Amino acid sequence: MRIKAAFLAIVLFGFPFVTYSQQTCRADMTWIAFVNGIQNDIVDANWSAIALRDAHSSRVPSGEPVRYVRVHNPTAGDGVRGLFEDIIESTFQSWQIFGIRDFRDFWMHMLLPETGENSFLQEAMFAWVSSQATLNGIGTEAELVRQRHLNTYRMLLASGGGISARGNVILVAHSQGNFFANLATDDATDEEASQMRVVGVASPDNRVGLNGEYTTNSDDLMAQLFTAGRRAIGLSTLPPNSNGNLTVFNVASTTGGHSFIDSYLSGESDSREEILANIEAARASLRAGDMAACEQSGEWSFRLTSVSASTATRHTCSVGQTTCNWISGSEATDISALSSDNLLAATPQTRSAISYGVSERGTVLSASINSDVALESNAINRVPQGMTYPYSEASVGFVAQWELVAPSSFQFEFNGQSTHEFQIEPTQLPNTDGDPGSRASCTPRRLSLVNAQNGSTITFSSGHRTGIIGAGRYVARVEGGLAEAVLDSGRTFGTGYPDRSFQCSAAANWRLEIFAPQPP
Amino acid sequence: MKAKVQILRALLLVCFCVPTSKAQTTADLQVSAYQLVSSTRLDRTRFEYAYRIVVQNTSSAFATNAHGVVRSVAAATQVVDGDIFIGDVPPGAQRLITDTVVVRHDRLVPFITSNLGWTFTADLIQGATPPPDPGEQGTLTLAGIDSNANGVRDDVERVILIRHPTSQIRNALFEYARIWQDAFTGQQTTELAFAHMQRLTNSIACVYELDRDSGRLSLKRLLAEQLNTRERTYAYLRFDTLASSQLYTIPGATQASSQCPTGPF
């Protein structure tokens, strides 16, 4: 059936990333994540991660995408905060014997060992807390903590910025941070593990997650304390494997030669070079895995097949353009704001929502997808490999859009494997979504992102976006199928708009997107 | 718990150091006048006098936490109590000090005030007027006192101004202090803790770029000032826990520098 002047936008936006990641080159981003130990106060935890970035970044060739993050472990450790508080309270009287008059003095002593201002108090206090944590693994909330850490690492794995939407992750764990890193990576899937490495520093554990390398100085007194404590209960620790070459002054004025910044990363220590070399070895190992994946997948190809006959004129949303908006979960986010920085700086809810969708950012396979060819039956677009838009341009994967004059079915393939089939019903859908920024460009509207079981009902809500709904039918594309809903015209499209429900009719892992169409 | 406490106390027994504080500097203060408060006759020729002094700040710096010590160069004049607390003296200003200096003088010779030599020390603040010292009042609530409503507790603000004469690092530390204040005094939730911690990370990265040698020390000293009560300490521990297991971006050097606040605050 031919429908005059009928247009329908097909927006190839955010195809299922799972399929990509299984068969293509993987990471376009290597995340180096510092996992602090519980001896670290918040200043030191941050300073350590910054110092690591400072020390390591000069070794990364220009143009290689490496980003630095940190995973925070609290001062007193998960599960042992109560103990820390007990110690503060129960020993308050004792402080005064040593001239510690108040909490300010207490913290001055605790936080400033490097000044020689009673570093032993900090050592003693933390040694006690640490020994409790060490003896208990990572405290009484171990399961909860390991799961939280793994979820955090998974967020990085899913933030590669490439078409594969995957990142490589190198965990640089210091002290008790090794427990968290090791336990979390135990639970990683094989595929996840293949994209992760652990570099241990001053580890109190008896292993390194994912068989990684580690560095423990022979003059790390705190590590020796851990070893003694664990040995007393029949547990072992990794032996020192580095001559720290620390001066007596360094050991005495820091937390017993255990400090990541002052001892392990200090210029006078052998361990600095060894840690950086271990990180580089981990990066090389991960790159080798990426190369193998690339070679296995061969030349990337993109195939969009018109299953039924149709004619079409091309309408392509520019690749990397940043005017497309989306709404995910309860958060409205401009794609231009979806740089990796903003992604990580977003609130947890936003990140949680975005974590489903981060795969849709990053590498653009082709700066211009030739839809004239693509719309021919069985035509294949050869696209150059590795054309990557940097994060700063907030590329959104690839976005292509066609205006059709006939109904058609399409099949989307990647590397020869069909990943998606969808059907288009042309209809006139005026774009009156109230967003002038998107009016002249592609207008994908992700109103919600839902995982649901086959056959179940999924509901979207319009979230924060407001505007006036135009008359017509809006197409809801779901992963593996299509659903449609008619939205009322003239209604405020925002929080006041009633939720809409769709009946799922295909496989699980539904991803619902609503696309407001172009004006005719 | 008792055993734990005993072990910790044993560990504490070998602790011997005390925290140091920033040494005060000699201040450009001078006595512009003496006011006799009391006069007591001790014997036939000796009298004990209590004086208040008027102090003038002749420098361009704000003198705070100022002290004065007087010594006599005349044998007939003995200083009984010559150590006085002055407090704040703005640049160019004169202040009558309530604290008194007490001297004994043998009136067989004339009493000459120029025989009293003064040494003044103070914390000097360039280019800013600090809020008044809140004293104990500032420790009564979690939020403390922020008399100029700039988001930084007065006691913390004073420390920043005293310790850091340059505006660049001052601005950075004001921002850092403000984030802590936000983290402690507002609602403490996981979401807010995440946001505050990322702000802290950016702020610390800024200080790293401004002062790699002693910036960390400055941050930690300031944190100790922030945590000067039990209530604040517990707020810190809650915040620390709420922000845990989350991911924080470490900005690059250029980005960190560009994020440094420009102030003034």
Side-chain angles (χ1 to χ4, degrees), chain A residues 456-483:
Chain A
S456 64
T457 298
I458 53 179
T459 301
F460 81 86
S461 61
S462 51
H464 296 166
R465 183 161 293 279
T466 59
I468 304 299
I469 284 289
R473 175 168 295 174
Y474 285 64
V475 175
R477 182 171 66 76
V478 297
E479 183 176 320
L482 184 74

Side-chain angles (χ1 to χ4, degrees), chain B residues 47-125:
Chain B
F47 286 72
E48 185 170 282
Y49 301 119
Y51 283 99
R52 283 186 185 146
I53 60 172
V54 176
V55 169
Q56 182 174 16
N57 182 352
T58 59
S59 76
S60 60
F62 191 106
T64 187
N65 299 324
H67 286 264
V69 176
V70 65
R71 285 184 176 77
S72 170
V73 296
T77 306
Q78 295 176 313
V79 176
V80 177
D81 178 4
D83 191 341
I84 61 171
F85 177 72
I86 297 170
D88 294 348
V89 189
Q94 293 191 81
R95 267 197 60 205
L96 174 64
I97 309 304
T98 53
D99 200 1
T100 55
V101 56
V102 179
V103 296
R104 287 178 184 167
H105 179 69
D106 188 338
R107 292 187 62 177
L108 289 175
V109 296
F111 178 68
I112 303 172
T113 55
S114 60
N115 285 333
L116 298 176
W118 285 89
T119 303
F120 295 103
T121 56
D123 295 317
L124 300 178
I125 298 173

Side-chain angles (χ1 to χ4, degrees), chain A residues 187-369:
Chain A
D187 290 342
T189 66
D190 289 346
E191 187 184 356
E192 289 167 342
S194 72
Q195 294 174 248
M196 299 176 76
R197 299 290 184 271
V198 179
V199 173
V201 179
S203 176
D205 208 344
N206 55 9
R207 66 198 176 98
V208 181
L210 304 174
N211 297 315
E213 298 294 332
Y214 75 100
T215 304
T216 298
N217 281 339
S218 55
D219 40 15
D220 181 343
L221 300 182
M222 191 70 80
Q224 292 173 22
L225 182 67
F226 293 146
T227 299
R230 282 171 64 89
R231 188 178 294 149
I233 57 172
L235 296 174
S236 61
T237 55
L238 291 165
N241 61 353
S242 173
N243 180 4
N245 273 339
L246 298 175
T247 61
V248 173
F249 175 78
N250 184 300
V251 175
S253 63
T254 67
T255 48
H258 191 64
S259 163
F260 184 79
I261 308 168
D262 301 313
S263 300
Y264 278 88
L265 220 56
S266 79
E268 70 185 59
S269 168
D270 291 352
S271 54
R272 175 189 174 93
E273 198 54 41
E274 290 165 14
I275 291 165
L276 298 177
N278 285 343
I279 295 173
E280 281 306 281
R283 275 206 327 129
S285 160
L286 289 165
R287 276 199 304 271
D290 290 344
M291 291 301 293
C294 287
E295 289 165 3
Q296 187 177 4
S297 64
E299 186 178 19
W300 292 2
S301 66
F302 170 94
R303 181 199 296 260
L304 183 68
T305 304
S306 173
V307 177
S308 61
S310 69
T311 59
T313 55
R314 184 177 67 176
H315 183 93
T316 305
C317 210
S318 61
V319 175
Q321 55 104 2
T322 59
T323 56
C324 298
N325 296 315
W326 72 344
I327 297 176
S328 179
S330 62
E331 294 287 337
T333 309
D334 190 316
I335 278 182
S336 63
L338 278 180
S339 67
S340 56
D341 284 342
N342 287 330
L343 173 71
L344 294 172
T347 63
Q349 297 98 323
T350 307
R351 289 188 302 140
S352 173
I354 292 174
S355 67
Y356 292 100
V358 288
S359 61
E360 291 149 1
R361 305 159 41 252
T363 300
V364 179
L365 285 183
S366 170
S368 174
I369 296 171

Side-chain angles (χ1 to χ4, degrees), chain B residues 121-221:
Chain B
T121 56
D123 295 317
L124 300 178
I125 298 173
Q126 295 288 352
T129 301
D133 185 349
E136 282 300 308
Q137 287 293 316
T139 65
L140 299 181
T141 63
L142 180 63
I145 295 173
D146 176 16
S147 61
N148 55 11
N150 65 354
V152 180
R153 265 179 17 218
D154 285 355
D155 55 327
V156 175
E157 181 171 349
R158 289 174 61 86
V159 171
I160 294 173
L161 293 176
I162 290 167
R163 286 192 168 277
H164 304 282
T166 62
S167 61
Q168 208 175 19
I169 193 75
R170 263 185 196 171
N171 291 339
L173 294 176
F174 267 108
E175 174 68 6
Y176 170 75
R178 183 176 292 112
I179 299 167
W180 279 122
Q181 186 76 346
D182 291 346
F184 293 166
T185 56
Q187 196 181 3
Q188 287 195 305
T189 66
T190 303
E191 293 75 19
L192 288 172
F194 173 82
H196 293 321
M197 184 65 93
Q198 184 61 61
R199 288 174 62 202
L200 274 173
T201 298
N202 295 343
S203 167
I204 292 169
C206 158
V207 173
Y208 183 93
E209 298 305 327
L210 292 177
D211 185 2
R212 295 186 185 192
D213 293 333
S214 58
R216 176 172 157 229
L217 195 60
S218 301
L219 293 167
K220 295 175 88 165
R221 283 187 188 280

Side-chain angles (χ1 to χ4, degrees), chain A residues 1 8 10 304-312 375 404-411 421-426 482:
Chain A
M1 184 176 73
L8 181 69
I10 308 166
L304 183 68
T305 304
S306 173
V307 177
S308 61
S310 69
T311 59
L375 287 173
L404 304 179
V405 292
S408 184
S409 297
F410 289 91
Q411 181 182 57
E421 288 188 21
F422 53 95
Q423 198 162 27
I424 304 305
E425 180 181 348
L482 184 74

